[in-house]
Amino acid sequence: MYRSHTCGELRITDVNKQVQLSGWVQTSRNFGELLFLDVRDRYGITQIVFNNNTNNLLFDRAKRLGREFVIQAEGTVVERSNKNPKNPTGDIEILVSDVRILSESKTPPFTIENETDGGDDIRMQYRYLDLRRNEVQEKIIFRHKVGHEVRTYLNTNGFLDIETPFLIKSTPEGARDFVVPSRMNPGQFYALPQSPQTFKQLLMVSGFDKYYQITRCFRDEDLRADRQPEFTQIDCEMAFVEQEDILNMFEGLIKHVFKTVKGIELGGDFPRMQYDDAMRIYGSDKPDIRFGMEFIEMNDLVKGKGFGVFDNAELVIGINAENAAEYTRKQLDELTDFVKRPQIGATGLIYLRYNNDGTLKSSVDKFYNEDELKLWAEKAGMKQGDLLLVLCGNTDKVRKQMNELRLEMGNRLGLRKKDDFKPLWVLDFPLLEFIEEDNRWFAMHHPFTSPKKEDIDFLYTDPARVRADAYDLAINGVEVGGGSIRIYDKGLQAEMFKRLGFTDEEAQKQFGFLMNAFEYGAPPHGGLAFGFDRLCAVLNSVETIRDFIAFPKNNSGRDVMLDSPSTIDEKQMKELNIKTTL
Amino acid sequence: MYRSHTCGELRITDVNKQVQLSGWVQTSRNFGELLFLDVRDRYGITQIVFNNNTNNLLFDRAKRLGREFVIQAEGTVVERSNKNPKNPTGDIEILVSDVRILSESKTPPFTIENETDGGDDIRMQYRYLDLRRNEVQEKIIFRHKVGHEVRTYLNTNGFLDIETPFLIKSTPEGARDFVVPSRMNPGQFYALPQSPQTFKQLLMVSGFDKYYQITRCFRDEDLRADRQPEFTQIDCEMAFVEQEDILNMFEGLIKHVFKTVKGIELGGDFPRMQYDDAMRIYGSDKPDIRFGMEFIEMNDLVKGKGFGVFDNAELVIGINAENAAEYTRKQLDELTDFVKRPQIGATGLIYLRYNNDGTLKSSVDKFYNEDELKLWAEKAGMKQGDLLLVLCGNTDKVRKQMNELRLEMGNRLGLRKKDDFKPLWVLDFPLLEFIEEDNRWFAMHHPFTSPKKEDIDFLYTDPARVRADAYDLAINGVEVGGGSIRIYDKGLQAEMFKRLGFTDEEAQKQFGFLMNAFEYGAPPHGGLAFGFDRLCAVLNSVETIRDFIAFPKNNSGRDVMLDSPSTIDEKQMKELNIKTTL
């Protein structure tokens, strides 16, 4: 036993108790007669005090205790004269009778404080020290709580936590696999799962009915800020259900997590939106509906008035930024620069101000008279003081551009409030998308997703038109989960693979086990997976998932703390029957 | 909604209700006028009945419903005239008004019954059908329950579930790593973790204090019946603790699991035994203490009487098999054959019968007179009717041989009762073991295990003598978990690596991150890991872990259902900068 109490535990009611604390030295303040140490553990900070008059030897020892030393101190709880109401233990301190160094520390390369002086790189290299900082530690503990509540809800609802294998078979459809050479099967490779998709479907075929797993998944993709080569999924599947059953079950899960972890009641049913509408109204399949600013389609008002840019555009759309009519020239230029950035790629931005004095002012006054502009304002539902921002171009592109501008305006106008959470189901995604580069159709969700019954015939005549029984849950503009009703008929599954360009032989080789399983009585089933890392980030209203991962990798897929990946021994490669081609 | 109730739910109190059930056809019995189907899901079996007189069309449809078809039936709950008290739903049946085939089934390749006609290979190939069998399904559900209760206990005790990475760095010490080529870092490899050992230690350095994770681990070893290349560990670590704290915490965990999952109270403290004593008394570091039959060391009684076999042996030991004096010649021959099997490797077996008439009879009567044999019997605590079995040879070898014989006799005499659970802590394992083949010392547990303070000096003079602060938990002769107090001092850790034959450079390259971490204030810490698969097996008194794994691999590390591992595309290998050398 190294401690009788933690550093977050003692209160005024503990005065006079003999206690033992262990922890890290946060700060040391020597006033000559008295020396104060703040001792830290994950539960809190307690002040301990050494008196030079009463114990000179001990005082001298205390002077040696530097930042991040691990110590064990024994003493008496006393009331503080100078209380600290900000600290739960701030009413008391420990008058130390004995202290022992458990472990010394070099001066850490950055300060262990919320406001640290350490940059990203050094903190990643010394991740074990970064994890000592309160705000990082809290995020890891937060993740633990979310995981726990997810399990509580699913267990209560009769789901079974069933583990599926990590050493599986490579199936090139989808993202790139990480592969693992097999020593016992020379020349052959396992793959790490991109998701447990086929296994959870097999579990439904087996009759397990309600399955979940919080499990690691792997994708060898080029990384972005919010992507990791390994990430964790809350993976769920149910049998004998329709889409409605699944939406209800997992709406319940999200409500449970918000309530238990954040203390927030998400009342009422989550709104639902068709994918087509989401794209038309928000230019996004995961719209942030904390604010309106819906797209206004303006083709009928703007065409044929001699303004070639609009006349030649497939689609002209505007958004009404309320109370932004007083934006300065500079602010408007900033917005123009914003939409012209290569990542967004618009050629220009047109505006219409509805001034507070009732006049209208537009950057295209030359082509549109006041009456015409009034019709714009009317269609956009503008009030005096509002600002209409207009983009035009190819339908798909301009919608994506306007989505970016809308989110930017939402930020600028303070409409995306951190403590406001607005979930949204987006339904009926397209089943297939045509990728020009590969000149073939790809499954938008994955090849196991069921087309909507009423659209199946279009598979042969107009594949783009086939909608899927697929759904995503977006919260505040972030996709936190998605899923679908699955195909459970061997014939339809085979047809899907054919549409995706698989020969029968390829389909059988890669997914034969699943199609064979469908021949022995497969129940209707469907499911959903949440990105656990991302869900944690969204619940905290932050964008990067990295802080919620104890040991994340950088954008080159490296763990800079471990210095991994690394070269391996010749002997290892020889045993695995591989060599590098470098 | 495909069902209003499950197939395990309806009771006599539900009579007259209109219900919908969905499930698999277990059996069909056509009596001409009435046709009965047993419909199965994971909750139970309900009988549904079709009446040819009242609905002839429906009856004809029902005749088509074969084994393992998935159906949805609607009807009224009625009381059965012929009740089945063995089935919880056996008081009622459903008089069907409508039925729908959700999915047809070919005749399954083996019967979906506890007593199936399918052999191992076919059941593994069609694992999704094997998983439909009640006894297999129950084991998967059992595992879910154990996992849930483990989490409940650990969460309640303040442990944090923290995920550690799967793509880590290869460290050849220990078993063989599975490796993963990195596309983004050409020529470099990740390794899959053999355990999260170093990460959980870093989490202690970070101050997380109490950590756990139920996580997959990977070892590329040659497989045995109860080993899988991937397996699951309940991995735990605590800071500011001594061995006693850890033993108490995890004794509590095991008691909690037994109580909640099995309804068994394991009263009192778990017994503890020194490793040295376990080896001396039972010839095993995981003795089955459901029965006694302790080793009797007989050197002082048997040597110098002219029996060369004993005279030349380093150690002569016996076990007293109670009430086995009447073993026939044939039975004794079987035992002799048993110990002479190459896996055991004894050269022979000597016995002494203490007959019920008080006489003594031994296979070495020629060398020992009745008085001498009486001394044997006395030392062994034999009663009339007992049988003493004696082996001799090199100390280490004969103990291992006698351990096998003891367990065999335990089985034969019915002393290893399935419903009897006897946990045992085995303490103070040796720190190091010398492997002749490699001509160097290896860490018996792992290189991070702390030597016992009082033995540290022997590190330099007599490494074999150094005991570790390491402990295992055995239940009924199976090691279900093990752990140790860790080194948390950089100097001692460096010294350990030196003892294990690492150069400073190698140690720094492979484990530098950990030793560096120890320079910034590492708390004393220790932990333990349970084999989750094995714990489930032990709780069920079965030997193979495979049934507790939804999708296990065979002894060649193959998943015969997936046909994995398999070859991968040239394109994949090119991207990874590797090729096979076959």
Side-chain angles (χ1 to χ4, degrees):
Chain A
M1 273 297 196
Y2 283 90
R3 57 186 173 189
S4 61
H5 295 78
T6 71
C7 295
E9 202 173 348
L10 294 167
R11 298 288 183 275
I12 192 79
T13 47
D14 296 307
V15 163
N16 291 328
K17 275 190 192 156
Q18 280 295 113
V19 298
Q20 276 193 337
L21 297 185
S22 288
W24 285 262
V25 174
Q26 178 77 22
T27 55
S28 171
R29 296 181 306 284
N30 185 352
F31 295 101
E33 194 171 331
L34 295 175
L35 187 150
F36 296 95
L37 293 184
D38 276 353
V39 185
R40 186 194 74 231
D41 63 17
R42 77 160 152 118
Y43 308 93
I45 286 181
T46 300
Q47 179 168 291
I48 69 175
V49 56
F50 298 83
N51 189 322
N52 201 6
N53 296 331
T54 54
N55 194 334
N56 178 256
L57 271 175
L58 191 64
F59 193 90
D60 283 345
R61 240 197 286 162
K63 286 197 286 192
R64 283 196 51 232
L65 306 176
R67 268 205 294 145
E68 301 305 316
F69 274 45
V70 183
I71 62 165
Q72 181 183 18
E74 208 172 315
T76 314
V77 183
V78 296
E79 184 169 359
R80 262 162 87 165
S81 52
N82 188 10
K83 295 196 173 64
N84 176 0
K86 284 186 196 152
N87 185 347
T89 67
D91 286 352
I92 57 95
E93 62 196 5
I94 313 298
L95 190 57
V96 180
S97 57
D98 198 11
V99 72
R100 189 178 146 205
I101 296 176
L102 297 175
S103 203
E104 301 196 359
S105 175
K106 295 203 292 194
T107 305
F110 51 87
T111 54
I112 311 296
E113 310 268 2
N114 279 350
E115 300 292 320
T116 181
D117 57 359
D120 237 37
D121 291 349
I122 191 103
R123 287 191 291 110
M124 281 302 126
Q125 192 188 334
Y126 293 87
R127 180 65 171 169
Y128 44 86
L129 297 182
D130 198 32
L131 284 167
R132 284 188 191 165
R133 297 193 307 120
N134 208 27
E135 66 167 29
V136 183
Q137 208 159 75
E138 272 172 6
K139 288 193 172 108
I140 302 297
I141 296 173
F142 182 88
R143 182 189 179 104
H144 159 82
K145 282 185 197 153
V146 174
H148 175 57
E149 291 300 341
V150 165
R151 290 178 184 280
T152 299
Y153 178 88
L154 293 172
N155 290 342
T156 306
N157 280 282
F159 283 77
L160 297 171
D161 179 4
I162 303 178
E163 295 178 56
T164 55
F166 278 74
L167 297 173
I168 66 167
K169 185 169 173 161
S170 187
T171 53
E173 183 70 10
R176 239 183 250 104
D177 281 325
F178 282 104
V179 300
V180 182
S182 166
R183 179 180 57 86
M184 291 172 76
N185 301 273
Q188 301 191 339
F189 293 79
Y190 301 101
L192 300 177
Q194 295 184 30
S195 93
Q197 183 62 33
T198 50
F199 294 101
K200 65 178 176 173
Q201 293 193 240
L202 290 177
L203 289 172
M204 294 305 108
V205 173
S206 297
F208 284 100
D209 200 77
K210 287 180 186 171
Y211 142 96
Y212 81 99
Q213 198 183 184
I214 301 184
T215 190
R216 204 69 52 84
C217 300
F218 305 84
R219 284 183 202 168
D220 186 11
E221 287 175 350
D222 297 325
L223 304 173
R224 297 186 314 224
D226 63 339
R227 264 204 203 149
Q228 289 275 320
E230 49 176 314
F231 56 96
T232 303
Q233 215 162 269
I234 303 167
D235 192 58
C236 309
E237 195 81 3
M238 301 171 77
F240 300 116
V241 290
E242 291 162 332
Q243 177 171 299
E244 192 61 31
D245 305 308
I246 293 183
L247 300 191
N248 287 336
M249 180 61 77
F250 294 101
E251 194 162 314
L253 171 63
I254 294 296
K255 285 179 176 177
H256 174 82
V257 169
F258 266 91
K259 189 170 165 182
T260 51
V261 179
K262 300 281 292 181
I264 293 175
E265 293 268 3
L266 296 176
D269 293 339
F270 291 180
R272 299 178 183 190
M273 191 178 288
Q274 296 282 310
Y275 170 87
D276 285 346
D277 291 334
M279 295 309 290
R280 186 171 49 77
I281 301 174
Y282 298 103
S284 167
D285 60 359
K286 43 180 190 283
D288 183 348
I289 58 165
R290 280 176 293 183
F291 64 110
M293 224 185 270
E294 299 182 357
F295 293 1
I296 301 126
E297 301 204 343
M298 301 172 62
N299 280 14
D300 53 340
L301 297 178
V302 302
K303 296 233 175 191
K305 309 286 175 178
F307 183 42
V309 175
F310 282 174
D311 285 346
N312 296 327
E314 195 180 356
L315 180 65
V316 182
I317 42 178
I319 52 171
N320 179 23
E322 293 184 27
N323 303 313
E326 292 182 353
Y327 259 40
T328 61
R329 180 78 246 162
K330 187 167 162 258
Q331 284 174 302
L332 289 167
D333 285 349
E334 275 173 20
L335 291 180
T336 306
D337 289 346
F338 175 83
V339 296
K340 284 168 108 171
R341 292 187 313 168
Q343 305 96 299
I344 299 187
T347 48
L349 174 68
I350 281 148
Y351 68 84
L352 168 66
R353 291 177 208 260
Y354 197 163
N355 293 317
N356 281 318
D357 61 7
T359 60
L360 290 162
K361 166 77 192 141
S362 166
S363 49
V364 288
D365 286 348
K366 238 198 295 187
F367 302 98
Y368 301 91
N369 62 33
E370 176 121 10
D371 284 348
E372 285 165 342
L373 293 177
K374 211 158 235 164
L375 290 174
W376 293 20
E378 225 163 73
K379 181 154 194 195
M382 292 174 82
K383 302 178 313 308
Q384 291 183 13
D386 290 353
L387 174 72
L388 185 73
L389 298 169
V390 182
L391 294 173
C392 67
N394 160 284
T395 301
D396 288 350
K397 280 188 188 154
V398 72
R399 281 177 174 162
K400 276 181 195 152
Q401 291 160 358
M402 189 57 104
N403 168 50
E404 298 291 342
L405 180 60
R406 175 180 174 269
L407 295 175
E408 172 69 13
M409 287 310 296
N411 285 336
R412 287 181 176 237
L413 298 173
L415 303 173
R416 305 178 74 186
K417 298 198 180 71
K418 276 194 189 298
D419 53 354
D420 187 20
F421 293 95
K422 286 284 183 298
L424 172 74
W425 287 112
V426 179
L427 307 177
D428 299 346
F429 276 68
L431 183 73
L432 301 165
E433 57 183 338
F434 195 80
I435 305 288
E436 300 285 348
E437 212 183 310
D438 299 81
N439 192 35
R440 73 166 177 97
W441 294 94
F442 278 78
M444 194 147 174
H445 189 53
H446 55 50
F448 315 107
T449 295
S450 177
K452 288 190 101 63
K453 272 195 198 108
E454 57 268 38
D455 290 357
I456 285 186
D457 288 344
F458 296 127
L459 259 182
Y460 308 94
T461 56
D462 187 1
R465 199 168 154 182
V466 182
R467 290 166 304 158
D469 277 327
Y471 32 81
D472 272 4
L473 180 66
I475 300 180
N476 294 359
V478 180
E479 180 205 325
V480 295
S484 65
I485 298 295
R486 323 300 184 188
I487 296 168
Y488 64 101
D489 175 79
K490 181 180 177 168
L492 181 55
Q493 187 64 69
E495 191 55 44
M496 262 302 280
F497 285 126
K498 202 172 282 176
R499 292 290 112 191
L500 297 173
F502 285 63
T503 63
D504 284 353
E505 201 190 4
E506 284 166 348
Q508 190 59 37
K509 191 181 166 209
Q510 287 181 37
F511 297 107
F513 62 95
L514 185 67
M515 291 195 287
N516 294 346
F518 288 169
E519 295 199 296
Y520 292 97
H525 61 287
L528 175 145
F530 293 99
F532 188 28
D533 314 294
R534 193 161 301 165
L535 180 62
C536 289
V538 167
L539 282 159
N540 277 280
S541 310
V542 299
E543 283 187 10
T544 56
I545 60 173
R546 221 173 56 173
D547 280 352
F548 295 90
I549 299 171
F551 299 101
K553 292 184 178 56
N554 73 9
N555 284 355
S556 315
R558 293 198 70 79
D559 183 323
V560 293
M561 179 188 74
L562 295 183
D563 190 24
S564 157
S566 59
T567 54
I568 58 173
D569 288 355
E570 277 302 321
K571 184 179 159 232
Q572 274 175 291
M573 283 204 265
K574 205 170 166 188
E575 281 186 325
L576 296 170
N577 302 293
I578 56 167
K579 62 179 176 190
T580 67
T581 56
L582 297 176
Chain B
M1 273 301 197
Y2 283 89
R3 58 188 174 189
S4 61
H5 295 76
T6 71
C7 297
E9 202 174 347
L10 294 166
R11 299 288 182 274
I12 192 81
T13 48
D14 296 305
V15 163
N16 290 328
K17 275 191 192 154
Q18 281 295 114
V19 297
Q20 276 194 335
L21 297 185
S22 287
W24 285 260
V25 174
Q26 178 76 22
T27 55
S28 171
R29 297 181 305 285
N30 185 352
F31 295 102
E33 192 170 333
L34 295 176
L35 186 150
F36 296 94
L37 293 186
D38 276 352
V39 186
R40 184 194 74 232
D41 63 18
R42 77 157 151 120
Y43 308 92
I45 287 180
T46 300
Q47 178 168 295
I48 70 176
V49 56
F50 298 82
N51 189 321
N52 200 7
N53 296 331
T54 55
N55 194 335
N56 177 255
L57 272 175
L58 191 65
F59 193 90
D60 281 346
R61 243 198 283 163
K63 285 196 286 193
R64 283 195 52 231
L65 306 176
R67 266 206 294 145
E68 300 306 315
F69 274 45
V70 184
I71 62 165
Q72 180 183 19
E74 207 171 315
T76 314
V77 183
V78 296
E79 183 168 0
R80 262 161 87 164
S81 53
N82 188 11
K83 294 196 173 63
N84 176 359
K86 283 187 197 150
N87 185 347
T89 68
D91 285 353
I92 57 95
E93 63 196 2
I94 313 299
L95 190 57
V96 180
S97 58
D98 198 10
V99 73
R100 189 180 144 204
I101 296 176
L102 296 175
S103 203
E104 301 197 357
S105 175
K106 297 202 291 194
T107 304
F110 50 87
T111 54
I112 311 296
E113 309 267 3
N114 280 349
E115 300 293 319
T116 181
D117 56 0
D120 237 36
D121 291 349
I122 191 103
R123 288 191 290 108
M124 281 302 127
Q125 191 188 336
Y126 293 87
R127 180 65 172 168
Y128 45 86
L129 298 181
D130 198 31
L131 284 168
R132 283 187 191 165
R133 297 194 306 120
N134 208 29
E135 66 167 28
V136 183
Q137 209 159 76
E138 272 172 7
K139 288 192 172 110
I140 302 297
I141 295 173
F142 182 87
R143 181 189 180 104
H144 159 82
K145 284 185 196 153
V146 174
H148 175 57
E149 291 300 341
V150 166
R151 290 177 184 280
T152 299
Y153 178 86
L154 293 172
N155 290 341
T156 305
N157 280 283
F159 283 77
L160 297 170
D161 179 3
I162 303 178
E163 296 178 53
T164 55
F166 279 75
L167 297 173
I168 65 166
K169 186 169 172 161
S170 188
T171 53
E173 182 71 11
R176 240 184 249 104
D177 281 325
F178 283 104
V179 298
V180 182
S182 167
R183 179 181 56 86
M184 291 172 76
N185 301 273
Q188 302 191 338
F189 293 78
Y190 301 101
L192 299 178
Q194 295 183 29
S195 94
Q197 183 62 32
T198 51
F199 294 101
K200 64 177 176 172
Q201 292 193 243
L202 290 177
L203 289 172
M204 295 304 108
V205 173
S206 297
F208 284 100
D209 199 78
K210 286 180 186 170
Y211 142 97
Y212 82 99
Q213 199 182 184
I214 301 184
T215 191
R216 205 69 53 83
C217 301
F218 305 85
R219 285 184 202 168
D220 186 10
E221 287 174 348
D222 297 327
L223 303 173
R224 298 188 310 229
D226 64 339
R227 265 205 202 150
Q228 289 274 320
E230 49 176 315
F231 55 97
T232 303
Q233 217 163 269
I234 303 167
D235 192 56
C236 309
E237 194 82 3
M238 300 171 78
F240 301 116
V241 289
E242 291 162 330
Q243 177 171 298
E244 191 61 33
D245 305 309
I246 294 183
L247 300 190
N248 286 336
M249 180 61 76
F250 295 102
E251 193 160 317
L253 171 64
I254 294 297
K255 285 180 176 174
H256 175 83
V257 169
F258 266 91
K259 188 171 167 184
T260 52
V261 180
K262 299 281 293 182
I264 292 175
E265 293 267 4
L266 295 177
D269 293 338
F270 291 0
R272 298 177 183 190
M273 191 178 288
Q274 296 282 310
Y275 171 88
D276 285 347
D277 290 335
M279 295 309 291
R280 186 172 48 77
I281 302 173
Y282 297 105
S284 166
D285 59 0
K286 42 179 192 282
D288 183 348
I289 57 165
R290 281 176 295 184
F291 64 109
M293 224 185 271
E294 299 181 358
F295 294 2
I296 300 124
E297 301 203 344
M298 302 172 60
N299 281 11
D300 53 339
L301 297 179
V302 302
K303 296 233 175 191
K305 310 287 176 178
F307 183 41
V309 175
F310 282 173
D311 285 345
N312 296 327
E314 194 180 1
L315 180 67
V316 180
I317 41 180
I319 52 172
N320 180 22
E322 293 184 27
N323 304 313
E326 291 183 352
Y327 259 39
T328 61
R329 181 77 246 165
K330 186 163 163 263
Q331 284 172 303
L332 288 168
D333 285 348
E334 274 171 18
L335 291 180
T336 306
D337 290 345
F338 175 83
V339 298
K340 285 169 107 170
R341 291 187 313 167
Q343 308 96 297
I344 299 185
T347 48
L349 174 67
I350 282 149
Y351 68 84
L352 168 67
R353 290 177 208 259
Y354 196 164
N355 294 317
N356 282 317
D357 62 7
T359 59
L360 290 163
K361 166 78 193 137
S362 166
S363 48
V364 287
D365 286 348
K366 238 201 288 188
F367 302 98
Y368 302 92
N369 62 35
E370 177 120 10
D371 284 346
E372 285 163 340
L373 293 177
K374 214 160 231 160
L375 289 175
W376 293 18
E378 225 163 74
K379 180 152 194 197
M382 292 175 81
K383 302 180 310 312
Q384 292 184 13
D386 291 352
L387 174 71
L388 185 73
L389 298 168
V390 182
L391 294 174
C392 67
N394 159 286
T395 300
D396 288 349
K397 280 189 187 152
V398 73
R399 283 177 173 161
K400 279 184 193 148
Q401 291 160 358
M402 188 56 103
N403 167 50
E404 298 291 342
L405 180 60
R406 173 179 175 270
L407 295 175
E408 173 69 14
M409 288 310 296
N411 286 336
R412 286 179 179 241
L413 298 174
L415 302 173
R416 306 179 73 187
K417 296 196 182 71
K418 274 192 189 300
D419 52 356
D420 186 19
F421 294 96
K422 285 283 184 297
L424 172 73
W425 288 112
V426 180
L427 307 178
D428 300 344
F429 277 68
L431 183 73
L432 301 165
E433 57 183 337
F434 195 80
I435 307 287
E436 301 283 350
E437 214 182 309
D438 299 82
N439 193 35
R440 73 165 177 96
W441 294 95
F442 278 77
M444 193 145 174
H445 189 50
H446 54 51
F448 315 107
T449 294
S450 177
K452 287 189 103 61
K453 272 195 198 108
E454 58 268 37
D455 289 357
I456 284 186
D457 289 343
F458 297 128
L459 259 182
Y460 308 93
T461 55
D462 187 1
R465 199 168 154 183
V466 182
R467 290 165 306 159
D469 276 328
Y471 31 81
D472 272 4
L473 181 67
I475 300 180
N476 293 0
V478 180
E479 179 206 327
V480 295
S484 64
I485 298 295
R486 324 299 183 187
I487 296 170
Y488 64 101
D489 174 81
K490 182 180 176 169
L492 181 55
Q493 187 64 68
E495 191 55 44
M496 261 303 278
F497 285 126
K498 201 172 285 176
R499 292 290 112 190
L500 297 173
F502 285 62
T503 64
D504 283 354
E505 200 191 5
E506 284 166 350
Q508 190 59 36
K509 191 183 166 208
Q510 287 181 38
F511 298 107
F513 62 95
L514 185 67
M515 289 194 288
N516 293 345
F518 288 169
E519 295 199 295
Y520 293 96
H525 61 286
L528 175 147
F530 294 99
F532 188 28
D533 314 295
R534 193 162 300 165
L535 180 62
C536 289
V538 167
L539 281 159
N540 276 280
S541 311
V542 300
E543 282 187 12
T544 57
I545 60 173
R546 218 171 60 173
D547 280 352
F548 295 90
I549 299 171
F551 299 102
K553 293 185 177 53
N554 73 9
N555 284 355
S556 317
R558 294 199 68 80
D559 183 323
V560 294
M561 178 188 73
L562 296 183
D563 191 23
S564 159
S566 60
T567 55
I568 58 172
D569 287 355
E570 277 302 322
K571 186 180 158 230
Q572 274 175 291
M573 282 204 263
K574 207 170 165 187
E575 281 186 323
L576 296 170
N577 302 292
I578 56 167
K579 60 181 179 187
T580 67
T581 55
L582 297 176

